[in-house]
Amino acid sequence: MKSLRVCLSSIVLLAGVIFLSTCSEPETPKPEITSISPLEGPVGTPVTISGKNFSAFESLQFGSASSTSVASKTDTEIVAVVLPGLSPGAASVTVKTTGGTSNAVAFTVLPSEPEITSIEPAKGSVGMEVILKGKHLATASSASFGTTSVTSFISKSDTEVKVQVPAGLSPGALDVTITTEG
């Protein structure tokens, strides 16, 4: 009788171990990207990433840039912007969740459009140095005062371009534009 109790106790214990080892929580499924729209754009462009298993979102990777915040997300769609700090060219996009990292999808980062925010001084004459301040100016290839273009610069950076006012301009107000890769 004693050996029957030991045998039954062993069976009950073994069944409990088997039950406990098979009752773990289900794994979070790995995310999968099925499409990105658009497939190219400059920094700041809104991008929709479609796929599945995004609900346990942790981060979004655009090439070398990573972000934990996005504009919106559901289990099947993430809306984000092309992350700052990326250079023009190819960038792989992945989504990381608690279930792992998704497949990589190709995206092309385009050069950003230039923006002039100020001109110093606001008035000047031919030959005078002018500073065009703004964003995305490092790849400037020309600056135009009305219809007259200048292609040589005193200096340029991402936030400002120094140029001389070209000869041949008529007195009066002129539109000033700058051309870059973007």
Side-chain angles (χ1 to χ4, degrees), residues 151-175:
T151 57
S152 84
F153 303 99
I154 296 166
S155 66
K156 60 183 175 176
S157 70
D158 197 47
T159 58
E160 73 177 37
V161 171
K162 290 183 185 177
V163 65
Q164 285 185 320
V165 176
L169 299 176
S170 299
L174 296 170
D175 287 331

Side-chain angles (χ1 to χ4, degrees), residues 13-24:
L13 182 61
L14 181 62
V17 169
I18 291 172
F19 175 75
L20 290 175
S21 68
T22 60
C23 289
S24 62

Side-chain angles (χ1 to χ4, degrees), residues 26-42:
E27 290 184 25
T28 303
K30 186 175 177 180
E32 180 183 335
I33 298 173
T34 55
S35 67
I36 296 179
S37 179
L39 289 173
E40 62 182 21

Side-chain angles (χ1 to χ4, degrees), residues 95-154:
V95 173
K96 183 179 179 186
T97 69
T98 56
T101 302
S102 72
N103 54 307
V105 176
F107 184 86
T108 303
V109 179
L110 299 175
S112 296
E113 291 185 23
E115 179 182 333
I116 297 175
T117 56
S118 68
I119 302 171
E120 296 174 7
K123 296 179 182 179
S125 57
V126 172
M128 191 172 175
E129 184 177 293
V130 176
I131 301 171
L132 309 175
K133 292 188 176 190
K135 299 178 185 176
H136 314 295
L137 305 177
T139 62
S141 57
S142 70
S144 296
F145 292 77
T147 58
T148 305
S149 290
V150 176
T151 57
S152 84
F153 303 99
I154 296 166

